[in-house]
DNA sequence: TAATTATTGTGAGTAAGTTCACAATTGAAT
DNA sequence: ATTCAATTGTGAACTTACTCACAATAATTA
């Protein structure tokens, strides 16, 4: 590994894929895996896998491959899922509910500790072990809890306002489902579902790939 | 526009963003827009906007900008949302429900015409105007309806099996929410929500961007 | 009509990302 | 001990994508 090289952005997404793949291999009881096999499972090239990993160190053994358990733990450190992240969800609608109910997140160390909504009729509603709290209680909640990440699942027209409220607190990042570019200093990751629909039909219409 | 140039893949995603942006401008009653303004709203460079559009034609007027209404219609044609796409959802769980209830999809010409689930206890459940149909009725449904796209919102372990069933019919594409690489000839667009969480914490840990 | 300002469309230059190809290493087989 | 097969890690070549910079054009103003 030549140090200080900066990491191409697409590598970031692929690290998450590798991590999930390694988890599956681990569950399947596989002890050693070659870059070729990881690549085949993900539909990419083996040289890509090796090059990507090489940005962070030398984890394999020539002629043998990678120790699944070991590499998995390395990836945990690299990605940052080696510790628990406390998450709150704002907006207890369709998406908010789906996120709170999804066990896959807890499995990957994202621990949802609160759900907020501005609609009083939703307050108190049970979602798994959590119950919906009114948005106005947010400050009180931040005073009592450490929150790392916020999932923003409110309508488009409320999103910017909520972000401005969030800037008062010391959160580390936002997962944003609203189809809008948020103006904020906080790191944001957009999840844009309708964009995926449009990409798909574009590809279909032009017979790309 | 120099023809036959092939279109960089990132352009595809941005076309969807431009389309949504133009829709907003239209609703705001704005008649002409400069690449600079579109770029500012999306947080990218104006030269990127112009270059992207140039792959498909010359839509602007020098010194003036782009006619919002006109460009919007051009984008509809380019992306393929100039006609209605018939969509069915398989899996009436959290994500399936969110998709069916989301009005934003219909607005962009994705018309959901059916929801299927393998769980008999969910059959008959109302989601908006639709009610959940048992998965075994799929063939009957395909015989009576034209289906363009399928949203796959079933658990990971069921996803590949469902895809193999879908290959019997003549669908054009799949939006896949299951965290797994589907083996199929049908064009697939993956929506990977936990990957977004991992990308976000990676960026936070390394203070990227 | 000429000057001024705004803005597009794009070739050329730069940057980012992927793939190739092979020396280095490992373990197994003979 | 030597050969053989498998597989990594990586510099270099290649491919893809982005940005710059400016001629061309349009509208406005003097
Ligand atoms: N449902 C989908 O499939 C889907 C797809 C793509 C994008 N989205 C986007 O995701 C976001 C959420 O979608 P949804 O379907 O869950 O919507 P939803 O209407 O079901 O839920 C939104 C929730 O946010 C709450 N809310 C509104 N203003 C608030 C505020 N200021 N503070 C706190 N809570 C507030 C509402 O009371 C509601 O419960 C929207 O921006 C939507 O555009 C949804
Ligand atoms: N909920 C989330 O926030 C979230 C986040 C990331 C990924 N996902 C993924 O999205 C997919 C759906 O998640 P969900 O939360 O909606 O799950 P869910 O369990 O709420 O819903 C899945 C539904 O699929 C149905 N189903 C199971 N096998 C089926 C089959 N063979 N045919 C038809 N229907 C079948 C189940 O009866 C259930 O109703 C999963 O693959 C999950 O990993 C969900």
């Amino acid at each position: 590994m030549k140090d200080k090289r900066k990491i191409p952005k697409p590598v970031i997404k692929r690290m998450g894929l590798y991590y999930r793949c390694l988890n599956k291999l681990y569950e399947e009881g596989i002890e050693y895996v070659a870059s070729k096999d990881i690549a085949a499972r993900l539909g990419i090239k083996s040289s890509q896998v090796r090059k990507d990993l090489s940005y962070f160190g030398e984890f394999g053994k020539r002629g043998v491959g990678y120790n699944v358990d070991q590499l998995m733990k390395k990836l945990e450190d690299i990605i940052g899922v080696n510790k628990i992240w406390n998450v709150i969800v704002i907006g207890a609608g369709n998406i908010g509910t789906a996120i709170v109910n999804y066990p896959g997140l807890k499995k990957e160390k994202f621990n949802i500790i609160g759900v907020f909504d501005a609609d009083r009729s939703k307050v108190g509603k049970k979602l798994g072990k959590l119950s919906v709290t009114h948005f106005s209680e947010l400050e009180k909640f931040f005073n009592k809890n450490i929150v790392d990440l916020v999932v923003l699942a409110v309508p488009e027209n409320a999103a910017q306002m909520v972000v401005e409220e969030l800037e008062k607190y010391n959160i580390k990042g936002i997962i944003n489902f609203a189809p809008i570019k948020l103006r904020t200093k906080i790191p944001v990751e957009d999840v844009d579902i309708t964009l995926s629909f449009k990409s798909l039909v574009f590809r279909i219409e032009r017979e790309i790939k």
Side-chain angles (χ1 to χ4, degrees), chain A residues 90-96 116-119 122 135 153-156 158 161-162 177-179 193:
Chain A
I90 304 194
N94 288 293
I95 292 289
F116 296 84
D117 203 293
D119 180 351
K122 294 203 173 167
F135 187 64
V154 302
E156 186 186 337
M161 186 225 101
V162 172
F177 283 89
I193 296 172

mmCIF file of all heavy atoms in Angstrom, chain A residues 90-96 116-119 122 135 153-156 158 161-162 177-179 193, ligand 1:
data_model
loop_
_atom_site.group_PDB
_atom_site.id
_atom_site.type_symbol
_atom_site.label_atom_id
_atom_site.label_comp_id
_atom_site.label_asym_id
_atom_site.label_seq_id
_atom_site.Cartn_x
_atom_site.Cartn_y
_atom_site.Cartn_z
ATOM 1 N N ILE A 90 -36.291 11.123 11.745
ATOM 2 C CA ILE A 90 -37.252 12.225 11.788
ATOM 3 C C ILE A 90 -38.238 12.045 10.650
ATOM 4 O O ILE A 90 -37.853 12.005 9.492
ATOM 5 C CB ILE A 90 -36.541 13.588 11.739
ATOM 6 C CG1 ILE A 90 -35.531 13.649 12.898
ATOM 7 C CG2 ILE A 90 -37.563 14.719 11.802
ATOM 8 C CD1 ILE A 90 -34.993 14.988 13.215
ATOM 9 N N GLY A 91 -39.509 11.936 11.023
ATOM 10 C CA GLY A 91 -40.568 11.635 10.064
ATOM 11 C C GLY A 91 -40.984 10.185 10.212
ATOM 12 O O GLY A 91 -40.283 9.279 9.767
ATOM 13 N N ALA A 92 -42.122 9.954 10.860
ATOM 14 C CA ALA A 92 -42.575 8.578 11.119
ATOM 15 C C ALA A 92 -43.619 8.159 10.098
ATOM 16 O O ALA A 92 -44.623 7.546 10.435
ATOM 17 C CB ALA A 92 -43.118 8.480 12.540
ATOM 18 N N GLY A 93 -43.374 8.503 8.844
ATOM 19 C CA GLY A 93 -44.275 8.097 7.765
ATOM 20 C C GLY A 93 -43.853 6.767 7.193
ATOM 21 O O GLY A 93 -43.357 5.891 7.906
ATOM 22 N N ASN A 94 -44.062 6.608 5.902
ATOM 23 C CA ASN A 94 -43.762 5.336 5.247
ATOM 24 C C ASN A 94 -42.287 4.956 5.340
ATOM 25 O O ASN A 94 -41.937 3.857 5.763
ATOM 26 C CB ASN A 94 -44.163 5.427 3.772
ATOM 27 C CG ASN A 94 -45.658 5.416 3.599
ATOM 28 O OD1 ASN A 94 -46.298 4.421 3.875
ATOM 29 N ND2 ASN A 94 -46.223 6.530 3.179
ATOM 30 N N ILE A 95 -41.438 5.882 4.929
ATOM 31 C CA ILE A 95 -40.005 5.574 4.910
ATOM 32 C C ILE A 95 -39.464 5.462 6.326
ATOM 33 O O ILE A 95 -38.726 4.526 6.658
ATOM 34 C CB ILE A 95 -39.239 6.660 4.113
ATOM 35 C CG1 ILE A 95 -39.588 6.594 2.628
ATOM 36 C CG2 ILE A 95 -37.736 6.534 4.332
ATOM 37 C CD1 ILE A 95 -39.034 5.398 1.888
ATOM 38 N N GLY A 96 -39.839 6.397 7.164
ATOM 39 C CA GLY A 96 -39.384 6.365 8.558
ATOM 40 C C GLY A 96 -39.735 5.037 9.207
ATOM 41 O O GLY A 96 -38.899 4.411 9.883
ATOM 42 N N PHE A 116 -39.099 10.732 15.579
ATOM 43 C CA PHE A 116 -39.798 11.994 15.825
ATOM 44 C C PHE A 116 -40.725 12.337 14.666
ATOM 45 O O PHE A 116 -40.439 12.023 13.511
ATOM 46 C CB PHE A 116 -38.767 13.120 16.022
ATOM 47 C CG PHE A 116 -37.922 12.907 17.236
ATOM 48 C CD1 PHE A 116 -36.799 12.084 17.188
ATOM 49 C CD2 PHE A 116 -38.268 13.491 18.456
ATOM 50 C CE1 PHE A 116 -36.032 11.854 18.319
ATOM 51 C CE2 PHE A 116 -37.509 13.271 19.593
ATOM 52 C CZ PHE A 116 -36.380 12.446 19.532
ATOM 53 N N ASP A 117 -41.809 13.005 15.007
ATOM 54 C CA ASP A 117 -42.734 13.458 13.961
ATOM 55 C C ASP A 117 -43.421 14.730 14.447
ATOM 56 O O ASP A 117 -43.605 14.940 15.654
ATOM 57 C CB ASP A 117 -43.768 12.368 13.662
ATOM 58 C CG ASP A 117 -44.362 12.532 12.279
ATOM 59 O OD1 ASP A 117 -45.082 13.535 12.046
ATOM 60 O OD2 ASP A 117 -44.097 11.686 11.413
ATOM 61 N N ALA A 118 -43.801 15.574 13.475
ATOM 62 C CA ALA A 118 -44.460 16.835 13.819
ATOM 63 C C ALA A 118 -45.969 16.657 13.953
ATOM 64 O O ALA A 118 -46.663 17.526 14.459
ATOM 65 C CB ALA A 118 -44.146 17.882 12.758
ATOM 66 N N ASP A 119 -46.448 15.519 13.514
ATOM 67 C CA ASP A 119 -47.890 15.269 13.518
ATOM 68 C C ASP A 119 -48.295 14.649 14.857
ATOM 69 O O ASP A 119 -47.917 13.519 15.171
ATOM 70 C CB ASP A 119 -48.208 14.318 12.349
ATOM 71 C CG ASP A 119 -49.685 13.985 12.253
ATOM 72 O OD1 ASP A 119 -50.449 14.334 13.181
ATOM 73 O OD2 ASP A 119 -50.061 13.373 11.238
ATOM 74 N N LYS A 122 -49.548 11.139 15.374
ATOM 75 C CA LYS A 122 -48.617 10.002 15.288
ATOM 76 C C LYS A 122 -47.831 9.787 16.575
ATOM 77 O O LYS A 122 -47.198 8.743 16.760
ATOM 78 C CB LYS A 122 -47.632 10.219 14.131
ATOM 79 C CG LYS A 122 -48.336 10.195 12.794
ATOM 80 C CD LYS A 122 -47.417 9.861 11.638
ATOM 81 C CE LYS A 122 -48.281 9.688 10.392
ATOM 82 N NZ LYS A 122 -47.506 9.651 9.165
ATOM 83 N N PHE A 135 -41.841 16.219 17.550
ATOM 84 C CA PHE A 135 -40.658 16.931 17.059
ATOM 85 C C PHE A 135 -40.179 18.016 18.040
ATOM 86 O O PHE A 135 -38.981 18.273 18.155
ATOM 87 C CB PHE A 135 -40.991 17.555 15.708
ATOM 88 C CG PHE A 135 -39.820 18.165 15.018
ATOM 89 C CD1 PHE A 135 -38.739 17.391 14.601
ATOM 90 C CD2 PHE A 135 -39.780 19.538 14.779
ATOM 91 C CE1 PHE A 135 -37.655 17.969 13.948
ATOM 92 C CE2 PHE A 135 -38.687 20.118 14.128
ATOM 93 C CZ PHE A 135 -37.631 19.329 13.719
ATOM 94 N N ALA A 153 -36.685 11.725 6.995
ATOM 95 C CA ALA A 153 -37.739 11.088 6.200
ATOM 96 C C ALA A 153 -39.010 11.915 6.283
ATOM 97 O O ALA A 153 -40.089 11.395 6.539
ATOM 98 C CB ALA A 153 -37.966 9.662 6.693
ATOM 99 N N VAL A 154 -38.841 13.218 6.069
ATOM 100 C CA VAL A 154 -39.975 14.149 6.092
ATOM 101 C C VAL A 154 -40.250 14.601 4.658
ATOM 102 O O VAL A 154 -39.410 14.425 3.772
ATOM 103 C CB VAL A 154 -39.677 15.372 6.987
ATOM 104 C CG1 VAL A 154 -39.361 14.933 8.412
ATOM 105 C CG2 VAL A 154 -38.537 16.215 6.424
ATOM 106 N N PRO A 155 -41.420 15.203 4.407
ATOM 107 C CA PRO A 155 -41.698 15.672 3.047
ATOM 108 C C PRO A 155 -40.675 16.719 2.613
ATOM 109 O O PRO A 155 -40.107 17.434 3.442
ATOM 110 C CB PRO A 155 -43.095 16.283 3.164
ATOM 111 C CG PRO A 155 -43.699 15.640 4.363
ATOM 112 C CD PRO A 155 -42.561 15.390 5.304
ATOM 113 N N GLU A 156 -40.523 16.784 1.319
ATOM 114 C CA GLU A 156 -39.581 17.699 0.686
ATOM 115 C C GLU A 156 -39.649 19.122 1.259
ATOM 116 O O GLU A 156 -38.617 19.703 1.575
ATOM 117 C CB GLU A 156 -39.944 17.735 -0.807
ATOM 118 C CG GLU A 156 -39.004 18.510 -1.659
ATOM 119 C CD GLU A 156 -39.543 18.615 -3.095
ATOM 120 O OE1 GLU A 156 -40.366 17.752 -3.494
ATOM 121 O OE2 GLU A 156 -39.142 19.556 -3.781
ATOM 122 N N ALA A 158 -40.504 20.197 4.084
ATOM 123 C CA ALA A 158 -40.112 20.360 5.486
ATOM 124 C C ALA A 158 -38.615 20.108 5.689
ATOM 125 O O ALA A 158 -38.052 20.500 6.723
ATOM 126 C CB ALA A 158 -40.906 19.412 6.371
ATOM 127 N N MET A 161 -36.024 22.997 6.563
ATOM 128 C CA MET A 161 -36.308 23.549 7.887
ATOM 129 C C MET A 161 -35.780 22.625 8.991
ATOM 130 O O MET A 161 -35.159 23.069 9.950
ATOM 131 C CB MET A 161 -37.828 23.726 8.027
ATOM 132 C CG MET A 161 -38.258 24.413 9.296
ATOM 133 S SD MET A 161 -39.670 23.514 9.997
ATOM 134 C CE MET A 161 -38.864 22.554 11.295
ATOM 135 N N VAL A 162 -36.025 21.335 8.821
ATOM 136 C CA VAL A 162 -35.566 20.372 9.828
ATOM 137 C C VAL A 162 -34.041 20.393 9.904
ATOM 138 O O VAL A 162 -33.460 20.375 10.994
ATOM 139 C CB VAL A 162 -36.083 18.950 9.519
ATOM 140 C CG1 VAL A 162 -35.453 17.940 10.454
ATOM 141 C CG2 VAL A 162 -37.602 18.904 9.635
ATOM 142 N N PHE A 177 -33.795 11.290 2.645
ATOM 143 C CA PHE A 177 -34.689 10.671 1.665
ATOM 144 C C PHE A 177 -35.471 11.691 0.852
ATOM 145 O O PHE A 177 -36.092 11.332 -0.148
ATOM 146 C CB PHE A 177 -35.660 9.714 2.362
ATOM 147 C CG PHE A 177 -35.035 8.404 2.749
ATOM 148 C CD1 PHE A 177 -34.418 8.239 3.988
ATOM 149 C CD2 PHE A 177 -35.043 7.332 1.873
ATOM 150 C CE1 PHE A 177 -33.830 7.033 4.342
ATOM 151 C CE2 PHE A 177 -34.461 6.122 2.217
ATOM 152 C CZ PHE A 177 -33.846 5.965 3.449
ATOM 153 N N ALA A 178 -35.483 12.939 1.289
ATOM 154 C CA ALA A 178 -36.263 13.954 0.559
ATOM 155 C C ALA A 178 -35.561 14.306 -0.751
ATOM 156 O O ALA A 178 -34.344 14.466 -0.775
ATOM 157 C CB ALA A 178 -36.450 15.190 1.426
ATOM 158 N N PRO A 179 -36.324 14.446 -1.823
ATOM 159 C CA PRO A 179 -35.706 14.695 -3.133
ATOM 160 C C PRO A 179 -35.320 16.149 -3.309
ATOM 161 O O PRO A 179 -35.859 16.857 -4.143
ATOM 162 C CB PRO A 179 -36.801 14.275 -4.109
ATOM 163 C CG PRO A 179 -38.070 14.486 -3.367
ATOM 164 C CD PRO A 179 -37.774 14.275 -1.905
ATOM 165 N N ILE A 193 -34.782 7.496 -4.417
ATOM 166 C CA ILE A 193 -35.438 6.317 -4.971
ATOM 167 C C ILE A 193 -36.016 6.583 -6.355
ATOM 168 O O ILE A 193 -35.840 5.771 -7.267
ATOM 169 C CB ILE A 193 -36.520 5.800 -3.988
ATOM 170 C CG1 ILE A 193 -35.842 5.342 -2.681
ATOM 171 C CG2 ILE A 193 -37.322 4.650 -4.607
ATOM 172 C CD1 ILE A 193 -36.792 4.995 -1.558
HETATM 173 N N1 LIG E 1 -42.339 6.574 0.245
HETATM 174 C C1 LIG E 1 -41.463 6.422 -0.724
HETATM 175 O O1 LIG E 1 -41.390 5.365 -1.337
HETATM 176 C C2 LIG E 1 -40.526 7.524 -1.096
HETATM 177 C C3 LIG E 1 -39.777 7.400 -2.271
HETATM 178 C C4 LIG E 1 -38.875 8.403 -2.614
HETATM 179 C C5 LIG E 1 -38.741 9.502 -1.807
HETATM 180 N N2 LIG E 1 -39.472 9.616 -0.699
HETATM 181 C C6 LIG E 1 -39.267 10.811 0.122
HETATM 182 O O2 LIG E 1 -39.047 10.446 1.450
HETATM 183 C C7 LIG E 1 -39.617 11.391 2.334
HETATM 184 C C8 LIG E 1 -40.580 10.681 3.259
HETATM 185 O O3 LIG E 1 -41.523 9.984 2.465
HETATM 186 P P1 LIG E 1 -42.718 9.172 3.120
HETATM 187 O O4 LIG E 1 -43.362 8.413 2.055
HETATM 188 O O5 LIG E 1 -42.267 8.468 4.348
HETATM 189 O O6 LIG E 1 -43.700 10.368 3.533
HETATM 190 P P2 LIG E 1 -44.864 10.341 4.607
HETATM 191 O O7 LIG E 1 -45.783 11.451 4.261
HETATM 192 O O8 LIG E 1 -45.402 8.979 4.723
HETATM 193 O O9 LIG E 1 -44.141 10.679 5.971
HETATM 194 C C9 LIG E 1 -43.583 11.921 6.257
HETATM 195 C C10 LIG E 1 -43.718 12.156 7.758
HETATM 196 O O10 LIG E 1 -43.019 13.338 8.122
HETATM 197 C C11 LIG E 1 -43.800 14.021 9.093
HETATM 198 N N3 LIG E 1 -43.394 15.424 9.104
HETATM 199 C C12 LIG E 1 -43.785 16.436 8.294
HETATM 200 N N4 LIG E 1 -43.176 17.579 8.619
HETATM 201 C C13 LIG E 1 -42.368 17.294 9.665
HETATM 202 C C14 LIG E 1 -41.490 18.068 10.439
HETATM 203 N N5 LIG E 1 -41.276 19.359 10.187
HETATM 204 N N6 LIG E 1 -40.821 17.462 11.441
HETATM 205 C C15 LIG E 1 -41.022 16.166 11.690
HETATM 206 N N7 LIG E 1 -41.848 15.380 10.995
HETATM 207 C C16 LIG E 1 -42.517 15.943 9.994
HETATM 208 C C17 LIG E 1 -45.232 13.802 8.656
HETATM 209 O O11 LIG E 1 -46.105 13.992 9.751
HETATM 210 C C18 LIG E 1 -45.158 12.354 8.190
HETATM 211 O O12 LIG E 1 -45.460 11.467 9.233
HETATM 212 C C19 LIG E 1 -40.290 12.430 1.462
HETATM 213 O O13 LIG E 1 -39.449 13.532 1.293
HETATM 214 C C20 LIG E 1 -40.470 11.712 0.144
HETATM 215 O O14 LIG E 1 -40.447 12.610 -0.943
HETATM 216 C C21 LIG E 1 -40.367 8.647 -0.312
#
